[in-house]
Amino acid sequence: MALPFILYLSLSLLYLLAVPTGEAPDEPGHLQCIEQVSIEKHLPIVNPPPQGEWWSRGVVLSGRMCYHLPLYYVVSGYSQRAVQGITGSSPHFEFPPENPQWGDSPAVFAHDPTEPFWRIGEPAAVWVLRVEAILLGLVTVWAARQTAVRLFPGDPTSAGLAALLAAGWPQFLFMSRAISNDTLATAWAVVALVLLLDVGRPRRFFWAALVSCLAVLTKFTMLFTLGIVVVTWLLEWLGESSRRAVYVRQGLLAGLPILALTLLLALQPTLRLHVEQTLQSFAAVNPAVLTIPYWLAVWQLSLSSGYARFGWMNVPAPTWQAYAWWVLILLAGGLGLWRALRLEQRNRRQGLILAVAGVWAAGVFFSYLRINSNRFQPQFRFAFALLPLLAALAAAGLSRLVGRFPRWRQAAAPLLAAGLWLTNVWLLLNVLEPAYS
């Protein structure tokens, strides 16, 4: 893991220096919710309410994001309080004025052009939130390796390449330094994925259920993870006729954190309000979903945001690069899936692992579909829980391609790391710097 971690940390630091404060999706709103915890010492609520047009300061800097379940805000709020106690830095961040060129310029806020581009222009109490997010991103890099280890046992090349692909994925790197509840929700979700892929160990269901409950407490759209825990338990219970009593006991234990979560959300007034607001927010269905052009636009922008679409999704990389990236991922992933299917034919346990992976992919897909059925938000960050699986399959395909050539096999990891590093540096210099300098 040394090379993937070095690649990830070096690039995430560059993205940290390159992207100004507030120039990531909903980042100012999330910061308002964190400040309610760190300054006012209570669970965040939608306060102040949004006022004005969608991109006005009264909306962007409102508490509009605080209808989300609050675990991320609580963790980050107390991180701010700890840093404030050490450094004396105020947890409140006063955002710059609105950018008068907004629309012609990708920047939401006005940034001083005389200041150096590569810099951190934030107080310690805000900067610590980015460090926290970067460290949470390491969990996904680790999960990519662990997913490949379980899908393709005995193939260290696939495991290493999977971690590298996750560590150098441009859109993931951009979001890895963002102040967003997606960072913590994704970390919980991919830990649940790794646990569920470790089939044949019924005791893991308690931990998988606990981690999934924490993911739901971070973001309600992670509810699908609990469904996958139940489906995985059912698959193993049906397949393990000699150990069904063990699986029943462990299933009952796994029900304890789910019951605790249900009671907490039902009985705690603020959390119950958050659930009601979330359900109201996502209850409607966009009439445009009945049209083919709508889903074509979702598909096209999902490919773009899945590769590199920065800022508030308004700073895209060249389209040809996005298509080239996905051609590589999907072709290599298809070859990796073929390898996994061949392993399934020879090993019943591998077949069950592949079934769990398929259920996970379906859960992420339908969650993403539900979001875009409600509103046009084809942002791949909502599907980051799929990233370890995509990286593992693509890595297995690449490993297969170089497997017959020993020298290429040895050079595969450093070559991939170098290619990903150069790709991201090119994006930083040619896409991000012109947008915000």
PDB file of all heavy atoms in Angstrom, residues 30-39 73-93 123-129 132 179:
ATOM      1  N   HIS A  30     -22.398  22.980   3.817  1.00  0.00           N
ATOM      2  CA  HIS A  30     -21.949  21.986   4.789  1.00  0.00           C
ATOM      3  C   HIS A  30     -21.183  22.664   5.923  1.00  0.00           C
ATOM      4  O   HIS A  30     -21.311  22.266   7.094  1.00  0.00           O
ATOM      5  CB  HIS A  30     -21.050  20.951   4.111  1.00  0.00           C
ATOM      6  CG  HIS A  30     -21.787  20.014   3.201  1.00  0.00           C
ATOM      7  ND1 HIS A  30     -22.831  19.228   3.640  1.00  0.00           N
ATOM      8  CD2 HIS A  30     -21.625  19.730   1.877  1.00  0.00           C
ATOM      9  CE1 HIS A  30     -23.288  18.497   2.623  1.00  0.00           C
ATOM     10  NE2 HIS A  30     -22.576  18.788   1.548  1.00  0.00           N
ATOM     11  N   LEU A  31     -20.415  23.685   5.597  1.00  0.00           N
ATOM     12  CA  LEU A  31     -19.642  24.377   6.629  1.00  0.00           C
ATOM     13  C   LEU A  31     -20.564  25.101   7.613  1.00  0.00           C
ATOM     14  O   LEU A  31     -20.265  25.173   8.811  1.00  0.00           O
ATOM     15  CB  LEU A  31     -18.664  25.355   5.986  1.00  0.00           C
ATOM     16  CG  LEU A  31     -17.588  25.936   6.903  1.00  0.00           C
ATOM     17  CD1 LEU A  31     -16.803  24.847   7.614  1.00  0.00           C
ATOM     18  CD2 LEU A  31     -16.645  26.840   6.120  1.00  0.00           C
ATOM     19  N   GLN A  32     -21.694  25.618   7.130  1.00  0.00           N
ATOM     20  CA  GLN A  32     -22.647  26.251   8.043  1.00  0.00           C
ATOM     21  C   GLN A  32     -23.179  25.238   9.059  1.00  0.00           C
ATOM     22  O   GLN A  32     -23.369  25.560  10.240  1.00  0.00           O
ATOM     23  CB  GLN A  32     -23.823  26.867   7.266  1.00  0.00           C
ATOM     24  CG  GLN A  32     -23.454  27.784   6.119  1.00  0.00           C
ATOM     25  CD  GLN A  32     -22.442  28.845   6.489  1.00  0.00           C
ATOM     26  OE1 GLN A  32     -22.621  29.574   7.461  1.00  0.00           O
ATOM     27  NE2 GLN A  32     -21.370  28.924   5.717  1.00  0.00           N
ATOM     28  N   CYS A  33     -23.415  24.005   8.606  1.00  0.00           N
ATOM     29  CA  CYS A  33     -23.933  22.970   9.510  1.00  0.00           C
ATOM     30  C   CYS A  33     -22.877  22.566  10.537  1.00  0.00           C
ATOM     31  O   CYS A  33     -23.200  22.327  11.710  1.00  0.00           O
ATOM     32  CB  CYS A  33     -24.364  21.748   8.708  1.00  0.00           C
ATOM     33  SG  CYS A  33     -25.529  22.112   7.371  1.00  0.00           S
ATOM     34  N   ILE A  34     -21.625  22.492  10.102  1.00  0.00           N
ATOM     35  CA  ILE A  34     -20.535  22.151  11.026  1.00  0.00           C
ATOM     36  C   ILE A  34     -20.390  23.239  12.087  1.00  0.00           C
ATOM     37  O   ILE A  34     -20.191  22.949  13.274  1.00  0.00           O
ATOM     38  CB  ILE A  34     -19.223  21.958  10.240  1.00  0.00           C
ATOM     39  CG1 ILE A  34     -19.327  20.737   9.330  1.00  0.00           C
ATOM     40  CG2 ILE A  34     -18.035  21.818  11.188  1.00  0.00           C
ATOM     41  CD1 ILE A  34     -18.199  20.615   8.321  1.00  0.00           C
ATOM     42  N   GLU A  35     -20.502  24.497  11.663  1.00  0.00           N
ATOM     43  CA  GLU A  35     -20.349  25.598  12.607  1.00  0.00           C
ATOM     44  C   GLU A  35     -21.463  25.611  13.651  1.00  0.00           C
ATOM     45  O   GLU A  35     -21.252  26.054  14.786  1.00  0.00           O
ATOM     46  CB  GLU A  35     -20.303  26.927  11.859  1.00  0.00           C
ATOM     47  CG  GLU A  35     -18.999  27.134  11.091  1.00  0.00           C
ATOM     48  CD  GLU A  35     -18.913  28.496  10.436  1.00  0.00           C
ATOM     49  OE1 GLU A  35     -19.859  29.302  10.628  1.00  0.00           O
ATOM     50  OE2 GLU A  35     -17.912  28.767   9.745  1.00  0.00           O
ATOM     51  N   GLN A  36     -22.644  25.133  13.302  1.00  0.00           N
ATOM     52  CA  GLN A  36     -23.708  25.056  14.307  1.00  0.00           C
ATOM     53  C   GLN A  36     -23.305  24.128  15.451  1.00  0.00           C
ATOM     54  O   GLN A  36     -23.627  24.377  16.612  1.00  0.00           O
ATOM     55  CB  GLN A  36     -25.006  24.565  13.673  1.00  0.00           C
ATOM     56  CG  GLN A  36     -25.675  25.592  12.773  1.00  0.00           C
ATOM     57  CD  GLN A  36     -27.082  25.173  12.394  1.00  0.00           C
ATOM     58  OE1 GLN A  36     -27.839  24.683  13.223  1.00  0.00           O
ATOM     59  NE2 GLN A  36     -27.430  25.363  11.125  1.00  0.00           N
ATOM     60  N   VAL A  37     -22.599  23.024  15.113  1.00  0.00           N
ATOM     61  CA  VAL A  37     -22.146  22.095  16.149  1.00  0.00           C
ATOM     62  C   VAL A  37     -21.000  22.697  16.937  1.00  0.00           C
ATOM     63  O   VAL A  37     -20.995  22.691  18.179  1.00  0.00           O
ATOM     64  CB  VAL A  37     -21.711  20.750  15.518  1.00  0.00           C
ATOM     65  CG1 VAL A  37     -21.144  19.817  16.586  1.00  0.00           C
ATOM     66  CG2 VAL A  37     -22.889  20.090  14.814  1.00  0.00           C
ATOM     67  N   SER A  38     -19.997  23.262  16.231  1.00  0.00           N
ATOM     68  CA  SER A  38     -18.792  23.726  16.912  1.00  0.00           C
ATOM     69  C   SER A  38     -19.004  25.020  17.690  1.00  0.00           C
ATOM     70  O   SER A  38     -18.393  25.220  18.741  1.00  0.00           O
ATOM     71  CB  SER A  38     -17.659  23.911  15.889  1.00  0.00           C
ATOM     72  OG  SER A  38     -18.015  24.866  14.911  1.00  0.00           O
ATOM     73  N   ILE A  39     -19.875  25.898  17.205  1.00  0.00           N
ATOM     74  CA  ILE A  39     -20.078  27.207  17.860  1.00  0.00           C
ATOM     75  C   ILE A  39     -21.307  27.192  18.768  1.00  0.00           C
ATOM     76  O   ILE A  39     -21.242  27.600  19.928  1.00  0.00           O
ATOM     77  CB  ILE A  39     -20.208  28.322  16.805  1.00  0.00           C
ATOM     78  CG1 ILE A  39     -18.918  28.426  15.972  1.00  0.00           C
ATOM     79  CG2 ILE A  39     -20.519  29.659  17.463  1.00  0.00           C
ATOM     80  CD1 ILE A  39     -19.014  29.390  14.810  1.00  0.00           C
ATOM     81  N   TYR A  73     -21.425  16.169  10.521  1.00  0.00           N
ATOM     82  CA  TYR A  73     -21.348  17.504  11.101  1.00  0.00           C
ATOM     83  C   TYR A  73     -20.896  17.448  12.566  1.00  0.00           C
ATOM     84  O   TYR A  73     -20.151  18.319  13.025  1.00  0.00           O
ATOM     85  CB  TYR A  73     -22.700  18.198  10.990  1.00  0.00           C
ATOM     86  CG  TYR A  73     -23.232  18.268   9.586  1.00  0.00           C
ATOM     87  CD1 TYR A  73     -24.550  17.915   9.290  1.00  0.00           C
ATOM     88  CD2 TYR A  73     -22.410  18.653   8.531  1.00  0.00           C
ATOM     89  CE1 TYR A  73     -25.028  17.965   7.991  1.00  0.00           C
ATOM     90  CE2 TYR A  73     -22.882  18.701   7.236  1.00  0.00           C
ATOM     91  CZ  TYR A  73     -24.195  18.350   6.968  1.00  0.00           C
ATOM     92  OH  TYR A  73     -24.657  18.393   5.680  1.00  0.00           O
ATOM     93  N   VAL A  74     -21.332  16.420  13.293  1.00  0.00           N
ATOM     94  CA  VAL A  74     -20.921  16.275  14.687  1.00  0.00           C
ATOM     95  C   VAL A  74     -19.425  15.961  14.773  1.00  0.00           C
ATOM     96  O   VAL A  74     -18.684  16.580  15.546  1.00  0.00           O
ATOM     97  CB  VAL A  74     -21.755  15.182  15.382  1.00  0.00           C
ATOM     98  CG1 VAL A  74     -21.201  14.877  16.767  1.00  0.00           C
ATOM     99  CG2 VAL A  74     -23.222  15.612  15.478  1.00  0.00           C
ATOM    100  N   VAL A  75     -18.966  14.993  13.964  1.00  0.00           N
ATOM    101  CA  VAL A  75     -17.542  14.642  13.965  1.00  0.00           C
ATOM    102  C   VAL A  75     -16.690  15.849  13.589  1.00  0.00           C
ATOM    103  O   VAL A  75     -15.695  16.169  14.250  1.00  0.00           O
ATOM    104  CB  VAL A  75     -17.281  13.466  12.999  1.00  0.00           C
ATOM    105  CG1 VAL A  75     -15.784  13.231  12.816  1.00  0.00           C
ATOM    106  CG2 VAL A  75     -17.941  12.191  13.518  1.00  0.00           C
ATOM    107  N   SER A  76     -17.078  16.536  12.524  1.00  0.00           N
ATOM    108  CA  SER A  76     -16.292  17.682  12.054  1.00  0.00           C
ATOM    109  C   SER A  76     -16.393  18.859  13.013  1.00  0.00           C
ATOM    110  O   SER A  76     -15.411  19.596  13.213  1.00  0.00           O
ATOM    111  CB  SER A  76     -16.764  18.098  10.652  1.00  0.00           C
ATOM    112  OG  SER A  76     -16.572  17.049   9.727  1.00  0.00           O
ATOM    113  N   GLY A  77     -17.565  19.062  13.620  1.00  0.00           N
ATOM    114  CA  GLY A  77     -17.720  20.151  14.566  1.00  0.00           C
ATOM    115  C   GLY A  77     -16.810  19.988  15.778  1.00  0.00           C
ATOM    116  O   GLY A  77     -16.172  20.952  16.226  1.00  0.00           O
ATOM    117  N   TYR A  78     -16.700  18.766  16.275  1.00  0.00           N
ATOM    118  CA  TYR A  78     -15.819  18.550  17.419  1.00  0.00           C
ATOM    119  C   TYR A  78     -14.352  18.520  17.010  1.00  0.00           C
ATOM    120  O   TYR A  78     -13.479  18.816  17.835  1.00  0.00           O
ATOM    121  CB  TYR A  78     -16.241  17.297  18.173  1.00  0.00           C
ATOM    122  CG  TYR A  78     -17.389  17.590  19.113  1.00  0.00           C
ATOM    123  CD1 TYR A  78     -18.712  17.444  18.697  1.00  0.00           C
ATOM    124  CD2 TYR A  78     -17.155  18.079  20.392  1.00  0.00           C
ATOM    125  CE1 TYR A  78     -19.763  17.760  19.530  1.00  0.00           C
ATOM    126  CE2 TYR A  78     -18.193  18.391  21.241  1.00  0.00           C
ATOM    127  CZ  TYR A  78     -19.505  18.232  20.808  1.00  0.00           C
ATOM    128  OH  TYR A  78     -20.536  18.566  21.644  1.00  0.00           O
ATOM    129  N   SER A  79     -14.054  18.207  15.761  1.00  0.00           N
ATOM    130  CA  SER A  79     -12.690  18.385  15.261  1.00  0.00           C
ATOM    131  C   SER A  79     -12.315  19.860  15.286  1.00  0.00           C
ATOM    132  O   SER A  79     -11.210  20.237  15.682  1.00  0.00           O
ATOM    133  CB  SER A  79     -12.573  17.839  13.828  1.00  0.00           C
ATOM    134  OG  SER A  79     -12.825  16.456  13.786  1.00  0.00           O
ATOM    135  N   GLN A  80     -13.258  20.705  14.853  1.00  0.00           N
ATOM    136  CA  GLN A  80     -13.018  22.148  14.906  1.00  0.00           C
ATOM    137  C   GLN A  80     -12.801  22.632  16.334  1.00  0.00           C
ATOM    138  O   GLN A  80     -11.908  23.435  16.605  1.00  0.00           O
ATOM    139  CB  GLN A  80     -14.198  22.895  14.295  1.00  0.00           C
ATOM    140  CG  GLN A  80     -14.172  23.000  12.789  1.00  0.00           C
ATOM    141  CD  GLN A  80     -15.083  24.104  12.299  1.00  0.00           C
ATOM    142  OE1 GLN A  80     -16.103  24.419  12.883  1.00  0.00           O
ATOM    143  NE2 GLN A  80     -14.704  24.724  11.189  1.00  0.00           N
ATOM    144  N   ARG A  81     -13.617  22.138  17.247  1.00  0.00           N
ATOM    145  CA  ARG A  81     -13.491  22.567  18.638  1.00  0.00           C
ATOM    146  C   ARG A  81     -12.135  22.155  19.215  1.00  0.00           C
ATOM    147  O   ARG A  81     -11.528  22.902  19.999  1.00  0.00           O
ATOM    148  CB  ARG A  81     -14.628  21.981  19.483  1.00  0.00           C
ATOM    149  CG  ARG A  81     -15.974  22.623  19.195  1.00  0.00           C
ATOM    150  CD  ARG A  81     -17.063  22.075  20.108  1.00  0.00           C
ATOM    151  NE  ARG A  81     -16.759  22.360  21.505  1.00  0.00           N
ATOM    152  CZ  ARG A  81     -16.988  23.516  22.094  1.00  0.00           C
ATOM    153  NH1 ARG A  81     -17.514  24.520  21.397  1.00  0.00           N
ATOM    154  NH2 ARG A  81     -16.695  23.689  23.362  1.00  0.00           N
ATOM    155  N   ALA A  82     -11.654  20.962  18.837  1.00  0.00           N
ATOM    156  CA  ALA A  82     -10.354  20.510  19.330  1.00  0.00           C
ATOM    157  C   ALA A  82      -9.240  21.414  18.812  1.00  0.00           C
ATOM    158  O   ALA A  82      -8.340  21.824  19.560  1.00  0.00           O
ATOM    159  CB  ALA A  82     -10.110  19.064  18.905  1.00  0.00           C
ATOM    160  N   VAL A  83      -9.295  21.757  17.513  1.00  0.00           N
ATOM    161  CA  VAL A  83      -8.281  22.630  16.930  1.00  0.00           C
ATOM    162  C   VAL A  83      -8.368  24.030  17.528  1.00  0.00           C
ATOM    163  O   VAL A  83      -7.348  24.691  17.779  1.00  0.00           O
ATOM    164  CB  VAL A  83      -8.427  22.667  15.396  1.00  0.00           C
ATOM    165  CG1 VAL A  83      -7.550  23.748  14.787  1.00  0.00           C
ATOM    166  CG2 VAL A  83      -8.058  21.317  14.812  1.00  0.00           C
ATOM    167  N   GLN A  84      -9.598  24.489  17.764  1.00  0.00           N
ATOM    168  CA  GLN A  84      -9.768  25.813  18.375  1.00  0.00           C
ATOM    169  C   GLN A  84      -9.122  25.851  19.763  1.00  0.00           C
ATOM    170  O   GLN A  84      -8.478  26.831  20.148  1.00  0.00           O
ATOM    171  CB  GLN A  84     -11.254  26.147  18.487  1.00  0.00           C
ATOM    172  CG  GLN A  84     -11.527  27.538  19.074  1.00  0.00           C
ATOM    173  CD  GLN A  84     -13.010  27.783  19.294  1.00  0.00           C
ATOM    174  OE1 GLN A  84     -13.796  26.836  19.332  1.00  0.00           O
ATOM    175  NE2 GLN A  84     -13.385  29.046  19.429  1.00  0.00           N
ATOM    176  N   GLY A  85      -9.259  24.751  20.518  1.00  0.00           N
ATOM    177  CA  GLY A  85      -8.659  24.707  21.842  1.00  0.00           C
ATOM    178  C   GLY A  85      -7.143  24.731  21.806  1.00  0.00           C
ATOM    179  O   GLY A  85      -6.494  25.248  22.725  1.00  0.00           O
ATOM    180  N   ILE A  86      -6.569  24.188  20.718  1.00  0.00           N
ATOM    181  CA  ILE A  86      -5.111  24.138  20.608  1.00  0.00           C
ATOM    182  C   ILE A  86      -4.540  25.425  20.033  1.00  0.00           C
ATOM    183  O   ILE A  86      -3.543  25.969  20.523  1.00  0.00           O
ATOM    184  CB  ILE A  86      -4.686  22.929  19.738  1.00  0.00           C
ATOM    185  CG1 ILE A  86      -5.110  21.622  20.427  1.00  0.00           C
ATOM    186  CG2 ILE A  86      -3.180  22.932  19.484  1.00  0.00           C
ATOM    187  CD1 ILE A  86      -4.951  20.401  19.541  1.00  0.00           C
ATOM    188  N   THR A  87      -5.173  25.931  18.962  1.00  0.00           N
ATOM    189  CA  THR A  87      -4.600  27.058  18.222  1.00  0.00           C
ATOM    190  C   THR A  87      -5.278  28.389  18.527  1.00  0.00           C
ATOM    191  O   THR A  87      -4.722  29.447  18.201  1.00  0.00           O
ATOM    192  CB  THR A  87      -4.713  26.804  16.714  1.00  0.00           C
ATOM    193  OG1 THR A  87      -6.103  26.791  16.334  1.00  0.00           O
ATOM    194  CG2 THR A  87      -4.071  25.469  16.336  1.00  0.00           C
ATOM    195  N   GLY A  88      -6.479  28.349  19.089  1.00  0.00           N
ATOM    196  CA  GLY A  88      -7.223  29.595  19.294  1.00  0.00           C
ATOM    197  C   GLY A  88      -7.896  30.105  18.044  1.00  0.00           C
ATOM    198  O   GLY A  88      -8.473  31.188  18.041  1.00  0.00           O
ATOM    199  N   SER A  89      -7.833  29.326  16.954  1.00  0.00           N
ATOM    200  CA  SER A  89      -8.432  29.734  15.681  1.00  0.00           C
ATOM    201  C   SER A  89      -9.950  29.689  15.782  1.00  0.00           C
ATOM    202  O   SER A  89     -10.530  28.742  16.298  1.00  0.00           O
ATOM    203  CB  SER A  89      -7.957  28.798  14.561  1.00  0.00           C
ATOM    204  OG  SER A  89      -8.668  29.027  13.375  1.00  0.00           O
ATOM    205  N   SER A  90     -10.606  30.719  15.279  1.00  0.00           N
ATOM    206  CA  SER A  90     -12.064  30.756  15.291  1.00  0.00           C
ATOM    207  C   SER A  90     -12.628  29.734  14.319  1.00  0.00           C
ATOM    208  O   SER A  90     -12.154  29.628  13.178  1.00  0.00           O
ATOM    209  CB  SER A  90     -12.564  32.150  14.902  1.00  0.00           C
ATOM    210  OG  SER A  90     -13.972  32.126  14.722  1.00  0.00           O
ATOM    211  N   PRO A  91     -13.654  28.955  14.719  1.00  0.00           N
ATOM    212  CA  PRO A  91     -14.249  27.998  13.787  1.00  0.00           C
ATOM    213  C   PRO A  91     -15.113  28.660  12.713  1.00  0.00           C
ATOM    214  O   PRO A  91     -15.452  28.019  11.723  1.00  0.00           O
ATOM    215  CB  PRO A  91     -15.102  27.109  14.703  1.00  0.00           C
ATOM    216  CG  PRO A  91     -15.404  27.961  15.879  1.00  0.00           C
ATOM    217  CD  PRO A  91     -14.221  28.859  16.063  1.00  0.00           C
ATOM    218  N   HIS A  92     -15.458  29.939  12.908  1.00  0.00           N
ATOM    219  CA  HIS A  92     -16.283  30.599  11.897  1.00  0.00           C
ATOM    220  C   HIS A  92     -15.408  31.066  10.741  1.00  0.00           C
ATOM    221  O   HIS A  92     -14.344  31.665  10.936  1.00  0.00           O
ATOM    222  CB  HIS A  92     -17.010  31.796  12.486  1.00  0.00           C
ATOM    223  CG  HIS A  92     -17.780  32.575  11.456  1.00  0.00           C
ATOM    224  ND1 HIS A  92     -18.881  32.065  10.799  1.00  0.00           N
ATOM    225  CD2 HIS A  92     -17.579  33.821  10.941  1.00  0.00           C
ATOM    226  CE1 HIS A  92     -19.333  32.961   9.948  1.00  0.00           C
ATOM    227  NE2 HIS A  92     -18.564  34.029  10.007  1.00  0.00           N
ATOM    228  N   PHE A  93     -15.872  30.790   9.527  1.00  0.00           N
ATOM    229  CA  PHE A  93     -15.161  31.245   8.330  1.00  0.00           C
ATOM    230  C   PHE A  93     -16.060  32.203   7.570  1.00  0.00           C
ATOM    231  O   PHE A  93     -17.186  31.863   7.203  1.00  0.00           O
ATOM    232  CB  PHE A  93     -14.787  30.058   7.440  1.00  0.00           C
ATOM    233  CG  PHE A  93     -14.047  30.461   6.199  1.00  0.00           C
ATOM    234  CD1 PHE A  93     -12.706  30.810   6.257  1.00  0.00           C
ATOM    235  CD2 PHE A  93     -14.687  30.516   4.972  1.00  0.00           C
ATOM    236  CE1 PHE A  93     -12.018  31.200   5.117  1.00  0.00           C
ATOM    237  CE2 PHE A  93     -14.016  30.894   3.821  1.00  0.00           C
ATOM    238  CZ  PHE A  93     -12.669  31.236   3.899  1.00  0.00           C
ATOM    239  N   PRO A 123      -8.177  29.440   7.802  1.00  0.00           N
ATOM    240  CA  PRO A 123      -7.708  29.276   9.178  1.00  0.00           C
ATOM    241  C   PRO A 123      -7.613  27.797   9.541  1.00  0.00           C
ATOM    242  O   PRO A 123      -8.198  26.933   8.874  1.00  0.00           O
ATOM    243  CB  PRO A 123      -8.794  29.982  10.002  1.00  0.00           C
ATOM    244  CG  PRO A 123     -10.015  29.932   9.142  1.00  0.00           C
ATOM    245  CD  PRO A 123      -9.522  30.024   7.732  1.00  0.00           C
ATOM    246  N   ALA A 124      -6.904  27.521  10.631  1.00  0.00           N
ATOM    247  CA  ALA A 124      -6.656  26.128  11.024  1.00  0.00           C
ATOM    248  C   ALA A 124      -7.942  25.366  11.280  1.00  0.00           C
ATOM    249  O   ALA A 124      -8.048  24.169  10.965  1.00  0.00           O
ATOM    250  CB  ALA A 124      -5.765  26.097  12.270  1.00  0.00           C
ATOM    251  N   ALA A 125      -8.963  26.034  11.833  1.00  0.00           N
ATOM    252  CA  ALA A 125     -10.210  25.351  12.154  1.00  0.00           C
ATOM    253  C   ALA A 125     -10.974  24.909  10.907  1.00  0.00           C
ATOM    254  O   ALA A 125     -11.833  24.028  10.990  1.00  0.00           O
ATOM    255  CB  ALA A 125     -11.097  26.250  13.008  1.00  0.00           C
ATOM    256  N   VAL A 126     -10.693  25.508   9.761  1.00  0.00           N
ATOM    257  CA  VAL A 126     -11.282  25.060   8.497  1.00  0.00           C
ATOM    258  C   VAL A 126     -10.344  24.081   7.811  1.00  0.00           C
ATOM    259  O   VAL A 126     -10.775  23.053   7.279  1.00  0.00           O
ATOM    260  CB  VAL A 126     -11.578  26.264   7.573  1.00  0.00           C
ATOM    261  CG1 VAL A 126     -12.089  25.798   6.219  1.00  0.00           C
ATOM    262  CG2 VAL A 126     -12.598  27.180   8.228  1.00  0.00           C
ATOM    263  N   TRP A 127      -9.060  24.382   7.853  1.00  0.00           N
ATOM    264  CA  TRP A 127      -8.080  23.517   7.193  1.00  0.00           C
ATOM    265  C   TRP A 127      -8.108  22.107   7.769  1.00  0.00           C
ATOM    266  O   TRP A 127      -7.929  21.127   7.046  1.00  0.00           O
ATOM    267  CB  TRP A 127      -6.685  24.135   7.354  1.00  0.00           C
ATOM    268  CG  TRP A 127      -5.621  23.412   6.622  1.00  0.00           C
ATOM    269  CD1 TRP A 127      -5.397  23.428   5.275  1.00  0.00           C
ATOM    270  CD2 TRP A 127      -4.604  22.569   7.177  1.00  0.00           C
ATOM    271  NE1 TRP A 127      -4.303  22.652   4.952  1.00  0.00           N
ATOM    272  CE2 TRP A 127      -3.809  22.112   6.115  1.00  0.00           C
ATOM    273  CE3 TRP A 127      -4.306  22.158   8.480  1.00  0.00           C
ATOM    274  CZ2 TRP A 127      -2.728  21.263   6.299  1.00  0.00           C
ATOM    275  CZ3 TRP A 127      -3.226  21.309   8.673  1.00  0.00           C
ATOM    276  CH2 TRP A 127      -2.452  20.876   7.596  1.00  0.00           C
ATOM    277  N   VAL A 128      -8.386  21.962   9.063  1.00  0.00           N
ATOM    278  CA  VAL A 128      -8.413  20.632   9.675  1.00  0.00           C
ATOM    279  C   VAL A 128      -9.513  19.764   9.074  1.00  0.00           C
ATOM    280  O   VAL A 128      -9.385  18.539   8.997  1.00  0.00           O
ATOM    281  CB  VAL A 128      -8.590  20.734  11.209  1.00  0.00           C
ATOM    282  CG1 VAL A 128      -9.983  21.214  11.584  1.00  0.00           C
ATOM    283  CG2 VAL A 128      -8.320  19.382  11.874  1.00  0.00           C
ATOM    284  N   LEU A 129     -10.593  20.375   8.619  1.00  0.00           N
ATOM    285  CA  LEU A 129     -11.668  19.613   8.001  1.00  0.00           C
ATOM    286  C   LEU A 129     -11.201  18.982   6.690  1.00  0.00           C
ATOM    287  O   LEU A 129     -11.651  17.894   6.323  1.00  0.00           O
ATOM    288  CB  LEU A 129     -12.879  20.507   7.759  1.00  0.00           C
ATOM    289  CG  LEU A 129     -13.459  21.210   8.991  1.00  0.00           C
ATOM    290  CD1 LEU A 129     -14.643  22.085   8.598  1.00  0.00           C
ATOM    291  CD2 LEU A 129     -13.866  20.190  10.050  1.00  0.00           C
ATOM    292  N   GLU A 132      -8.999  16.037   7.590  1.00  0.00           N
ATOM    293  CA  GLU A 132      -9.913  14.964   7.976  1.00  0.00           C
ATOM    294  C   GLU A 132     -10.473  14.263   6.739  1.00  0.00           C
ATOM    295  O   GLU A 132     -10.512  13.020   6.673  1.00  0.00           O
ATOM    296  CB  GLU A 132     -11.041  15.564   8.807  1.00  0.00           C
ATOM    297  CG  GLU A 132     -12.111  14.611   9.264  1.00  0.00           C
ATOM    298  CD  GLU A 132     -13.213  15.362  10.005  1.00  0.00           C
ATOM    299  OE1 GLU A 132     -14.158  15.838   9.342  1.00  0.00           O
ATOM    300  OE2 GLU A 132     -13.109  15.491  11.235  1.00  0.00           O
ATOM    301  N   ILE A 179     -15.079  19.796   1.864  1.00  0.00           N
ATOM    302  CA  ILE A 179     -15.866  19.762   3.093  1.00  0.00           C
ATOM    303  C   ILE A 179     -17.254  19.280   2.704  1.00  0.00           C
ATOM    304  O   ILE A 179     -18.084  20.047   2.211  1.00  0.00           O
ATOM    305  CB  ILE A 179     -15.912  21.153   3.756  1.00  0.00           C
ATOM    306  CG1 ILE A 179     -14.498  21.610   4.119  1.00  0.00           C
ATOM    307  CG2 ILE A 179     -16.800  21.147   4.985  1.00  0.00           C
ATOM    308  CD1 ILE A 179     -14.410  23.045   4.598  1.00  0.00           C
TER     309      ILE A 179
END
